[in-house]
Amino acid sequence: MTTLKEQTVIQEAFKNRMDEDELLNCMRCGFCLPSCPTYVESGFNETHSPRGRIALMKAVADGLIEPDEDVERSLDLCLGCRACEPVCPSGVRYGHLLEEARDIINQNKKHSLPVKAVRNLVFNGLFPHQNRMRTTAGLLGFYQRSGLQSAARKTGMLNWLPKNLAAMEKVIPQVPKLREMKNRPTYFSSAKPVKKAAFFTGCLMDTMFLETNNATIKLLQLAGCEIHIPQNQACCGALHGHSGEKQTARDLAKRNIEAFEKLEADYIITNAGGCGAFLVDYDHLLKDDREWHERALKFSEKLKDISEILYELEFHKKVKLELPGQIITYQDSCHLRNVMKTSMAPRKLLNSIEGIEFREMKDADRCCGSAGIYNIVESEMSMQILDQKMIHAKSANAAVIVTSNPGCLLQMKLGIEREGLSRKVKAVHIADILVEAACQKEK
């Protein structure tokens, strides 16, 4: 609960820091309403719509209302999926407004000691340090391989966890051994290199999803890229930027820009839609920093998702792709679609695989409810959104659900588990299914 003094400080910060022109760009037309999952799932509550949240931000900035718990609750409940942006006739950059508002509130309110400790551990002690991420993932891998996981499941210890976390434990992929995470090379050649690619490996992607990163590297090689992996790259900063820790996000952005610009690569490749959307927005994140803004712009201009670069380099024409008898569908990563504007490339690549039947999922562009750590901190709304998503997934009647983001992948795996479909349906990252299709002839 914010005190009166904190509300006064927050209100002044809203007045000074919020982009008034962007707030005024919202015409209150309502085109964003059907695209907003929280508006729909809350029973068409205007407060939980993009239009409603912008109105709240404007009212706080104008001193018409206090930045109380109701305002904060409305902002916290937002997924940040940015589905409202493509449908907005005025081109309002809602995501930028949301991040600024959250940062103002979180930097000017006093958190309880437990919350402060957790935030400090996650945002400062863990994610900015890849070696600590590897160690943490290594401990999870030890839990999986040592027999502890089996014992925890057999004894019912997991029943002490909240229901969705207990289900999530079942869908976490097998974590590679620590030495595998540490000893991966930083350069990969290609038989006939036509482009120089720098690979943004990410935090979770290079630990929990290391095999998907390895698949991504293999695909880039087959497409004709030599791949460089800067060792001093850092977390993209998305988790920080979305959670009111923008200064740390800026610091991480500078580390990444510096690490990648030295390579002078043709492209900077990512395979995580959430990371990619934040990376491509570095120029906005650093817009007020004269020294770094231009460098951030050059960085962002080189950024491409793995599906986009593969399609651009005609990978699907160079390599025979085949998966006999597979029925697949595709779930969009919100940030890949709404921010990076990549939606057709994944579908075209999947449709180029011989032997598969591609079925478009209804509302595939609607958020699955993952949204970073949203499915943990806002479990009830997340599961409500996921349940709706699974109705459409089941209607597609596909055996494979493909997506392009680790959070979406885990969420879809969770949905499959909740629906009791784990024997019939699987969820995979697009890089993994493309490598499987490309390597059929080697089996």
PDB file of all heavy atoms in Angstrom, residues 294-321:
ATOM      1  N   GLU A 294      22.431   6.504 -30.824  1.00  0.00           N
ATOM      2  CA  GLU A 294      22.794   6.162 -32.195  1.00  0.00           C
ATOM      3  C   GLU A 294      23.346   4.744 -32.282  1.00  0.00           C
ATOM      4  O   GLU A 294      23.053   4.005 -33.226  1.00  0.00           O
ATOM      5  CB  GLU A 294      23.824   7.164 -32.728  1.00  0.00           C
ATOM      6  CG  GLU A 294      24.092   7.041 -34.223  1.00  0.00           C
ATOM      7  CD  GLU A 294      22.870   7.378 -35.080  1.00  0.00           C
ATOM      8  OE1 GLU A 294      22.048   8.209 -34.645  1.00  0.00           O
ATOM      9  OE2 GLU A 294      22.749   6.802 -36.175  1.00  0.00           O
ATOM     10  N   ARG A 295      24.131   4.363 -31.294  1.00  0.00           N
ATOM     11  CA  ARG A 295      24.679   3.001 -31.259  1.00  0.00           C
ATOM     12  C   ARG A 295      23.543   1.983 -31.078  1.00  0.00           C
ATOM     13  O   ARG A 295      23.565   0.895 -31.666  1.00  0.00           O
ATOM     14  CB  ARG A 295      25.705   2.878 -30.133  1.00  0.00           C
ATOM     15  CG  ARG A 295      26.932   3.739 -30.364  1.00  0.00           C
ATOM     16  CD  ARG A 295      27.776   3.878 -29.103  1.00  0.00           C
ATOM     17  NE  ARG A 295      28.481   2.647 -28.755  1.00  0.00           N
ATOM     18  CZ  ARG A 295      29.324   2.553 -27.727  1.00  0.00           C
ATOM     19  NH1 ARG A 295      29.554   3.615 -26.946  1.00  0.00           N
ATOM     20  NH2 ARG A 295      29.935   1.410 -27.470  1.00  0.00           N
ATOM     21  N   ALA A 296      22.563   2.353 -30.256  1.00  0.00           N
ATOM     22  CA  ALA A 296      21.411   1.471 -30.033  1.00  0.00           C
ATOM     23  C   ALA A 296      20.603   1.303 -31.320  1.00  0.00           C
ATOM     24  O   ALA A 296      20.107   0.210 -31.618  1.00  0.00           O
ATOM     25  CB  ALA A 296      20.530   2.036 -28.932  1.00  0.00           C
ATOM     26  N   LEU A 297      20.479   2.374 -32.084  1.00  0.00           N
ATOM     27  CA  LEU A 297      19.727   2.328 -33.335  1.00  0.00           C
ATOM     28  C   LEU A 297      20.387   1.376 -34.329  1.00  0.00           C
ATOM     29  O   LEU A 297      19.722   0.562 -34.980  1.00  0.00           O
ATOM     30  CB  LEU A 297      19.616   3.726 -33.923  1.00  0.00           C
ATOM     31  CG  LEU A 297      18.691   3.901 -35.123  1.00  0.00           C
ATOM     32  CD1 LEU A 297      17.257   3.541 -34.759  1.00  0.00           C
ATOM     33  CD2 LEU A 297      18.743   5.336 -35.635  1.00  0.00           C
ATOM     34  N   LYS A 298      21.706   1.448 -34.439  1.00  0.00           N
ATOM     35  CA  LYS A 298      22.436   0.559 -35.343  1.00  0.00           C
ATOM     36  C   LYS A 298      22.307  -0.897 -34.902  1.00  0.00           C
ATOM     37  O   LYS A 298      22.191  -1.803 -35.728  1.00  0.00           O
ATOM     38  CB  LYS A 298      23.908   0.973 -35.407  1.00  0.00           C
ATOM     39  CG  LYS A 298      24.143   2.307 -36.100  1.00  0.00           C
ATOM     40  CD  LYS A 298      25.616   2.676 -36.102  1.00  0.00           C
ATOM     41  CE  LYS A 298      25.836   4.028 -36.786  1.00  0.00           C
ATOM     42  NZ  LYS A 298      27.274   4.438 -36.752  1.00  0.00           N
ATOM     43  N   PHE A 299      22.331  -1.112 -33.589  1.00  0.00           N
ATOM     44  CA  PHE A 299      22.153  -2.454 -33.036  1.00  0.00           C
ATOM     45  C   PHE A 299      20.779  -2.993 -33.418  1.00  0.00           C
ATOM     46  O   PHE A 299      20.644  -4.121 -33.909  1.00  0.00           O
ATOM     47  CB  PHE A 299      22.308  -2.393 -31.508  1.00  0.00           C
ATOM     48  CG  PHE A 299      22.023  -3.680 -30.786  1.00  0.00           C
ATOM     49  CD1 PHE A 299      23.051  -4.552 -30.475  1.00  0.00           C
ATOM     50  CD2 PHE A 299      20.729  -4.013 -30.407  1.00  0.00           C
ATOM     51  CE1 PHE A 299      22.793  -5.746 -29.798  1.00  0.00           C
ATOM     52  CE2 PHE A 299      20.462  -5.201 -29.733  1.00  0.00           C
ATOM     53  CZ  PHE A 299      21.495  -6.067 -29.429  1.00  0.00           C
ATOM     54  N   SER A 300      19.749  -2.201 -33.190  1.00  0.00           N
ATOM     55  CA  SER A 300      18.374  -2.637 -33.435  1.00  0.00           C
ATOM     56  C   SER A 300      18.117  -2.930 -34.906  1.00  0.00           C
ATOM     57  O   SER A 300      17.347  -3.835 -35.244  1.00  0.00           O
ATOM     58  CB  SER A 300      17.392  -1.572 -32.931  1.00  0.00           C
ATOM     59  OG  SER A 300      17.540  -1.362 -31.542  1.00  0.00           O
ATOM     60  N   GLU A 301      18.755  -2.170 -35.782  1.00  0.00           N
ATOM     61  CA  GLU A 301      18.547  -2.345 -37.218  1.00  0.00           C
ATOM     62  C   GLU A 301      19.062  -3.696 -37.725  1.00  0.00           C
ATOM     63  O   GLU A 301      18.605  -4.196 -38.752  1.00  0.00           O
ATOM     64  CB  GLU A 301      19.217  -1.210 -37.987  1.00  0.00           C
ATOM     65  CG  GLU A 301      18.479   0.129 -37.846  1.00  0.00           C
ATOM     66  CD  GLU A 301      19.232   1.294 -38.462  1.00  0.00           C
ATOM     67  OE1 GLU A 301      20.451   1.109 -38.760  1.00  0.00           O
ATOM     68  OE2 GLU A 301      18.638   2.371 -38.640  1.00  0.00           O
ATOM     69  N   LYS A 302      20.008  -4.283 -37.011  1.00  0.00           N
ATOM     70  CA  LYS A 302      20.573  -5.575 -37.430  1.00  0.00           C
ATOM     71  C   LYS A 302      19.823  -6.770 -36.847  1.00  0.00           C
ATOM     72  O   LYS A 302      20.079  -7.902 -37.227  1.00  0.00           O
ATOM     73  CB  LYS A 302      22.048  -5.662 -37.002  1.00  0.00           C
ATOM     74  CG  LYS A 302      22.978  -4.729 -37.753  1.00  0.00           C
ATOM     75  CD  LYS A 302      24.427  -4.975 -37.351  1.00  0.00           C
ATOM     76  CE  LYS A 302      25.370  -4.112 -38.175  1.00  0.00           C
ATOM     77  NZ  LYS A 302      26.788  -4.394 -37.842  1.00  0.00           N
ATOM     78  N   LEU A 303      18.925  -6.521 -35.939  1.00  0.00           N
ATOM     79  CA  LEU A 303      18.282  -7.602 -35.193  1.00  0.00           C
ATOM     80  C   LEU A 303      17.232  -8.328 -36.035  1.00  0.00           C
ATOM     81  O   LEU A 303      16.383  -7.687 -36.654  1.00  0.00           O
ATOM     82  CB  LEU A 303      17.639  -7.058 -33.925  1.00  0.00           C
ATOM     83  CG  LEU A 303      17.278  -8.135 -32.901  1.00  0.00           C
ATOM     84  CD1 LEU A 303      18.528  -8.574 -32.145  1.00  0.00           C
ATOM     85  CD2 LEU A 303      16.245  -7.628 -31.929  1.00  0.00           C
ATOM     86  N   LYS A 304      17.282  -9.650 -36.033  1.00  0.00           N
ATOM     87  CA  LYS A 304      16.292 -10.456 -36.742  1.00  0.00           C
ATOM     88  C   LYS A 304      15.994 -11.720 -35.939  1.00  0.00           C
ATOM     89  O   LYS A 304      16.887 -12.298 -35.303  1.00  0.00           O
ATOM     90  CB  LYS A 304      16.796 -10.842 -38.138  1.00  0.00           C
ATOM     91  CG  LYS A 304      16.788  -9.703 -39.148  1.00  0.00           C
ATOM     92  CD  LYS A 304      17.200 -10.193 -40.513  1.00  0.00           C
ATOM     93  CE  LYS A 304      17.215  -9.053 -41.533  1.00  0.00           C
ATOM     94  NZ  LYS A 304      15.858  -8.553 -41.824  1.00  0.00           N
ATOM     95  N   ASP A 305      14.760 -12.172 -36.015  1.00  0.00           N
ATOM     96  CA  ASP A 305      14.394 -13.452 -35.430  1.00  0.00           C
ATOM     97  C   ASP A 305      14.898 -14.572 -36.328  1.00  0.00           C
ATOM     98  O   ASP A 305      15.041 -14.399 -37.544  1.00  0.00           O
ATOM     99  CB  ASP A 305      12.875 -13.538 -35.285  1.00  0.00           C
ATOM    100  CG  ASP A 305      12.434 -14.856 -34.688  1.00  0.00           C
ATOM    101  OD1 ASP A 305      12.658 -15.051 -33.483  1.00  0.00           O
ATOM    102  OD2 ASP A 305      11.879 -15.695 -35.435  1.00  0.00           O
ATOM    103  N   ILE A 306      15.152 -15.738 -35.743  1.00  0.00           N
ATOM    104  CA  ILE A 306      15.673 -16.865 -36.502  1.00  0.00           C
ATOM    105  C   ILE A 306      14.769 -17.227 -37.681  1.00  0.00           C
ATOM    106  O   ILE A 306      15.253 -17.522 -38.782  1.00  0.00           O
ATOM    107  CB  ILE A 306      15.888 -18.099 -35.584  1.00  0.00           C
ATOM    108  CG1 ILE A 306      16.426 -19.283 -36.374  1.00  0.00           C
ATOM    109  CG2 ILE A 306      14.619 -18.461 -34.831  1.00  0.00           C
ATOM    110  CD1 ILE A 306      17.779 -19.057 -37.007  1.00  0.00           C
ATOM    111  N   SER A 307      13.457 -17.173 -37.499  1.00  0.00           N
ATOM    112  CA  SER A 307      12.552 -17.536 -38.600  1.00  0.00           C
ATOM    113  C   SER A 307      12.641 -16.526 -39.738  1.00  0.00           C
ATOM    114  O   SER A 307      12.589 -16.898 -40.917  1.00  0.00           O
ATOM    115  CB  SER A 307      11.110 -17.632 -38.093  1.00  0.00           C
ATOM    116  OG  SER A 307      10.664 -16.396 -37.573  1.00  0.00           O
ATOM    117  N   GLU A 308      12.788 -15.264 -39.381  1.00  0.00           N
ATOM    118  CA  GLU A 308      12.860 -14.218 -40.398  1.00  0.00           C
ATOM    119  C   GLU A 308      14.122 -14.350 -41.251  1.00  0.00           C
ATOM    120  O   GLU A 308      14.084 -14.247 -42.478  1.00  0.00           O
ATOM    121  CB  GLU A 308      12.810 -12.847 -39.718  1.00  0.00           C
ATOM    122  CG  GLU A 308      12.686 -11.684 -40.677  1.00  0.00           C
ATOM    123  CD  GLU A 308      12.607 -10.345 -39.970  1.00  0.00           C
ATOM    124  OE1 GLU A 308      12.738 -10.321 -38.733  1.00  0.00           O
ATOM    125  OE2 GLU A 308      12.427  -9.331 -40.665  1.00  0.00           O
ATOM    126  N   ILE A 309      15.268 -14.592 -40.606  1.00  0.00           N
ATOM    127  CA  ILE A 309      16.523 -14.690 -41.363  1.00  0.00           C
ATOM    128  C   ILE A 309      16.565 -15.972 -42.194  1.00  0.00           C
ATOM    129  O   ILE A 309      17.064 -15.979 -43.324  1.00  0.00           O
ATOM    130  CB  ILE A 309      17.747 -14.594 -40.427  1.00  0.00           C
ATOM    131  CG1 ILE A 309      19.043 -14.512 -41.241  1.00  0.00           C
ATOM    132  CG2 ILE A 309      17.820 -15.744 -39.465  1.00  0.00           C
ATOM    133  CD1 ILE A 309      19.125 -13.311 -42.157  1.00  0.00           C
ATOM    134  N   LEU A 310      16.009 -17.057 -41.652  1.00  0.00           N
ATOM    135  CA  LEU A 310      15.982 -18.300 -42.424  1.00  0.00           C
ATOM    136  C   LEU A 310      15.150 -18.136 -43.687  1.00  0.00           C
ATOM    137  O   LEU A 310      15.546 -18.599 -44.771  1.00  0.00           O
ATOM    138  CB  LEU A 310      15.417 -19.441 -41.577  1.00  0.00           C
ATOM    139  CG  LEU A 310      16.280 -19.954 -40.423  1.00  0.00           C
ATOM    140  CD1 LEU A 310      15.549 -21.043 -39.657  1.00  0.00           C
ATOM    141  CD2 LEU A 310      17.628 -20.456 -40.916  1.00  0.00           C
ATOM    142  N   TYR A 311      14.016 -17.478 -43.567  1.00  0.00           N
ATOM    143  CA  TYR A 311      13.162 -17.276 -44.735  1.00  0.00           C
ATOM    144  C   TYR A 311      13.833 -16.322 -45.725  1.00  0.00           C
ATOM    145  O   TYR A 311      13.793 -16.564 -46.938  1.00  0.00           O
ATOM    146  CB  TYR A 311      11.801 -16.732 -44.322  1.00  0.00           C
ATOM    147  CG  TYR A 311      10.815 -16.711 -45.461  1.00  0.00           C
ATOM    148  CD1 TYR A 311      10.215 -17.888 -45.914  1.00  0.00           C
ATOM    149  CD2 TYR A 311      10.512 -15.518 -46.112  1.00  0.00           C
ATOM    150  CE1 TYR A 311       9.337 -17.880 -46.984  1.00  0.00           C
ATOM    151  CE2 TYR A 311       9.635 -15.498 -47.185  1.00  0.00           C
ATOM    152  CZ  TYR A 311       9.048 -16.683 -47.619  1.00  0.00           C
ATOM    153  OH  TYR A 311       8.186 -16.663 -48.687  1.00  0.00           O
ATOM    154  N   GLU A 312      14.459 -15.296 -45.191  1.00  0.00           N
ATOM    155  CA  GLU A 312      15.131 -14.314 -46.057  1.00  0.00           C
ATOM    156  C   GLU A 312      16.275 -14.953 -46.844  1.00  0.00           C
ATOM    157  O   GLU A 312      16.490 -14.626 -48.016  1.00  0.00           O
ATOM    158  CB  GLU A 312      15.663 -13.166 -45.194  1.00  0.00           C
ATOM    159  CG  GLU A 312      16.262 -12.019 -45.980  1.00  0.00           C
ATOM    160  CD  GLU A 312      16.673 -10.866 -45.082  1.00  0.00           C
ATOM    161  OE1 GLU A 312      15.856 -10.467 -44.231  1.00  0.00           O
ATOM    162  OE2 GLU A 312      17.805 -10.369 -45.223  1.00  0.00           O
ATOM    163  N   LEU A 313      17.010 -15.864 -46.216  1.00  0.00           N
ATOM    164  CA  LEU A 313      18.133 -16.531 -46.882  1.00  0.00           C
ATOM    165  C   LEU A 313      17.698 -17.778 -47.645  1.00  0.00           C
ATOM    166  O   LEU A 313      18.531 -18.530 -48.145  1.00  0.00           O
ATOM    167  CB  LEU A 313      19.203 -16.907 -45.847  1.00  0.00           C
ATOM    168  CG  LEU A 313      19.902 -15.739 -45.147  1.00  0.00           C
ATOM    169  CD1 LEU A 313      20.922 -16.241 -44.128  1.00  0.00           C
ATOM    170  CD2 LEU A 313      20.571 -14.816 -46.161  1.00  0.00           C
ATOM    171  N   GLU A 314      16.384 -17.996 -47.737  1.00  0.00           N
ATOM    172  CA  GLU A 314      15.791 -19.104 -48.482  1.00  0.00           C
ATOM    173  C   GLU A 314      16.308 -20.469 -48.015  1.00  0.00           C
ATOM    174  O   GLU A 314      16.579 -21.369 -48.809  1.00  0.00           O
ATOM    175  CB  GLU A 314      16.023 -18.925 -49.983  1.00  0.00           C
ATOM    176  CG  GLU A 314      15.358 -17.664 -50.528  1.00  0.00           C
ATOM    177  CD  GLU A 314      15.430 -17.556 -52.039  1.00  0.00           C
ATOM    178  OE1 GLU A 314      16.448 -18.021 -52.616  1.00  0.00           O
ATOM    179  OE2 GLU A 314      14.476 -17.037 -52.640  1.00  0.00           O
ATOM    180  N   PHE A 315      16.420 -20.590 -46.708  1.00  0.00           N
ATOM    181  CA  PHE A 315      16.834 -21.856 -46.099  1.00  0.00           C
ATOM    182  C   PHE A 315      15.937 -23.002 -46.544  1.00  0.00           C
ATOM    183  O   PHE A 315      16.404 -24.107 -46.836  1.00  0.00           O
ATOM    184  CB  PHE A 315      16.800 -21.701 -44.570  1.00  0.00           C
ATOM    185  CG  PHE A 315      16.700 -22.988 -43.803  1.00  0.00           C
ATOM    186  CD1 PHE A 315      17.831 -23.760 -43.562  1.00  0.00           C
ATOM    187  CD2 PHE A 315      15.478 -23.430 -43.308  1.00  0.00           C
ATOM    188  CE1 PHE A 315      17.744 -24.947 -42.856  1.00  0.00           C
ATOM    189  CE2 PHE A 315      15.380 -24.617 -42.592  1.00  0.00           C
ATOM    190  CZ  PHE A 315      16.518 -25.378 -42.365  1.00  0.00           C
ATOM    191  N   HIS A 316      14.630 -22.736 -46.621  1.00  0.00           N
ATOM    192  CA  HIS A 316      13.658 -23.781 -46.960  1.00  0.00           C
ATOM    193  C   HIS A 316      13.791 -24.247 -48.404  1.00  0.00           C
ATOM    194  O   HIS A 316      13.231 -25.306 -48.756  1.00  0.00           O
ATOM    195  CB  HIS A 316      12.242 -23.274 -46.704  1.00  0.00           C
ATOM    196  CG  HIS A 316      11.919 -21.985 -47.391  1.00  0.00           C
ATOM    197  ND1 HIS A 316      12.618 -20.815 -47.166  1.00  0.00           N
ATOM    198  CD2 HIS A 316      10.976 -21.676 -48.324  1.00  0.00           C
ATOM    199  CE1 HIS A 316      12.111 -19.851 -47.913  1.00  0.00           C
ATOM    200  NE2 HIS A 316      11.130 -20.349 -48.631  1.00  0.00           N
ATOM    201  N   LYS A 317      14.497 -23.485 -49.234  1.00  0.00           N
ATOM    202  CA  LYS A 317      14.735 -23.896 -50.614  1.00  0.00           C
ATOM    203  C   LYS A 317      16.089 -24.593 -50.760  1.00  0.00           C
ATOM    204  O   LYS A 317      16.291 -25.389 -51.681  1.00  0.00           O
ATOM    205  CB  LYS A 317      14.662 -22.689 -51.551  1.00  0.00           C
ATOM    206  CG  LYS A 317      13.279 -22.037 -51.603  1.00  0.00           C
ATOM    207  CD  LYS A 317      13.266 -20.847 -52.544  1.00  0.00           C
ATOM    208  CE  LYS A 317      11.878 -20.191 -52.578  1.00  0.00           C
ATOM    209  NZ  LYS A 317      11.848 -19.006 -53.476  1.00  0.00           N
ATOM    210  N   LYS A 318      17.001 -24.288 -49.846  1.00  0.00           N
ATOM    211  CA  LYS A 318      18.334 -24.893 -49.898  1.00  0.00           C
ATOM    212  C   LYS A 318      18.362 -26.274 -49.250  1.00  0.00           C
ATOM    213  O   LYS A 318      19.175 -27.121 -49.617  1.00  0.00           O
ATOM    214  CB  LYS A 318      19.342 -23.989 -49.168  1.00  0.00           C
ATOM    215  CG  LYS A 318      19.524 -22.611 -49.765  1.00  0.00           C
ATOM    216  CD  LYS A 318      20.469 -21.788 -48.902  1.00  0.00           C
ATOM    217  CE  LYS A 318      20.631 -20.369 -49.440  1.00  0.00           C
ATOM    218  NZ  LYS A 318      21.491 -19.532 -48.551  1.00  0.00           N
ATOM    219  N   VAL A 319      17.500 -26.470 -48.265  1.00  0.00           N
ATOM    220  CA  VAL A 319      17.520 -27.700 -47.476  1.00  0.00           C
ATOM    221  C   VAL A 319      16.185 -28.428 -47.616  1.00  0.00           C
ATOM    222  O   VAL A 319      15.123 -27.800 -47.497  1.00  0.00           O
ATOM    223  CB  VAL A 319      17.786 -27.391 -45.982  1.00  0.00           C
ATOM    224  CG1 VAL A 319      17.786 -28.669 -45.161  1.00  0.00           C
ATOM    225  CG2 VAL A 319      19.101 -26.635 -45.822  1.00  0.00           C
ATOM    226  N   LYS A 320      16.250 -29.721 -47.859  1.00  0.00           N
ATOM    227  CA  LYS A 320      15.021 -30.517 -47.952  1.00  0.00           C
ATOM    228  C   LYS A 320      14.468 -30.732 -46.546  1.00  0.00           C
ATOM    229  O   LYS A 320      15.143 -31.266 -45.670  1.00  0.00           O
ATOM    230  CB  LYS A 320      15.297 -31.864 -48.612  1.00  0.00           C
ATOM    231  CG  LYS A 320      14.052 -32.734 -48.768  1.00  0.00           C
ATOM    232  CD  LYS A 320      14.365 -34.022 -49.481  1.00  0.00           C
ATOM    233  CE  LYS A 320      13.158 -34.945 -49.577  1.00  0.00           C
ATOM    234  NZ  LYS A 320      12.021 -34.341 -50.299  1.00  0.00           N
ATOM    235  N   LEU A 321      13.237 -30.308 -46.331  1.00  0.00           N
ATOM    236  CA  LEU A 321      12.581 -30.431 -45.034  1.00  0.00           C
ATOM    237  C   LEU A 321      11.458 -31.458 -45.143  1.00  0.00           C
ATOM    238  O   LEU A 321      10.605 -31.367 -46.022  1.00  0.00           O
ATOM    239  CB  LEU A 321      12.008 -29.071 -44.594  1.00  0.00           C
ATOM    240  CG  LEU A 321      13.012 -27.923 -44.469  1.00  0.00           C
ATOM    241  CD1 LEU A 321      12.287 -26.614 -44.188  1.00  0.00           C
ATOM    242  CD2 LEU A 321      14.025 -28.201 -43.368  1.00  0.00           C
TER     243      LEU A 321
END
